[in-house]
Amino acid sequence: MGEMERYGSIVGGAALAVVGLSRRSLPGLLLAGLGGLFILRGVGGHCRLYDTMGVSTACGGQRAGMRDQTGQKIEKTIEIGRPPEELFRFWRNLENLPEFMETVESIRIVDDRRSHWVVKGPGGRRLEWDAEIVNEHPGK
């Protein structure tokens, strides 16, 4: 999910929870529970309904052109005065990334394609995931 959608889920969920709890009834309790689910959705940044429907709202809702249409494609251009081959070797050694990506705490290499990431997420929350390189262009 995109960042704005996450914040909207948290704020909207909190509002539903407050209104639901103030009613002091079974329907109010159900409304508060729904609010709690929206809060969890926003904090976790994951929506199972979106997964089921094959929808992604992260990065403008664009689907990445990868195997089984999974993942997100992220592009950004930065000019660095070094040969492309040297930069590729540095970038491809994922354990170098925490040196200049301040929210990345660690990256543990599993094999030549897979790695385990630990980052500082929203609100100081620690997030972890496994990543797989599915497409690369050496020297570029």
Side-chain angles (χ1 to χ4, degrees):
M1 295 184 340
E3 187 175 354
M4 292 304 294
E5 186 174 3
R6 290 180 72 179
Y7 290 130
S9 288
I10 293 169
V11 170
L16 284 173
V18 168
V19 169
L21 291 173
S22 69
R23 292 191 176 171
R24 298 178 189 241
S25 65
L26 180 58
L29 185 59
L30 293 174
L31 190 62
L34 179 63
L37 291 174
F38 273 101
I39 292 170
L40 288 174
R41 176 182 184 260
V43 170
H46 183 79
C47 179
R48 290 182 191 194
L49 178 62
Y50 282 0
D51 284 347
T52 303
M53 296 181 347
V55 172
S56 173
T57 59
C59 298
Q62 305 246 342
R63 300 298 309 262
M66 291 191 249
R67 179 185 66 222
D68 298 323
Q69 295 295 308
T70 59
Q72 290 295 320
K73 182 176 182 179
I74 301 171
E75 291 186 34
K76 183 171 182 168
T77 303
I78 299 172
E79 188 172 327
I80 302 172
R82 296 283 219 211
E85 296 77 19
E86 180 183 340
L87 292 173
F88 180 83
R89 279 191 308 274
F90 182 82
W91 183 262
R92 183 57 171 86
N93 181 359
L94 300 177
E95 291 172 329
N96 287 330
L97 300 183
E99 291 180 29
F100 61 91
M101 297 175 121
E102 61 187 46
T103 58
V104 178
E105 290 182 9
S106 67
I107 302 173
R108 181 178 49 82
I109 305 302
V110 175
D111 59 31
D112 66 327
R113 301 270 251 191
R114 297 178 302 137
S115 56
H116 181 80
W117 293 57
V118 179
V119 301
K120 296 174 214 157
R125 186 172 179 207
R126 187 176 190 215
L127 303 172
E128 297 186 38
W129 68 87
D130 293 322
E132 179 182 7
I133 297 172
V134 296
N135 190 6
E136 66 180 353
H137 301 278
K140 294 185 179 180

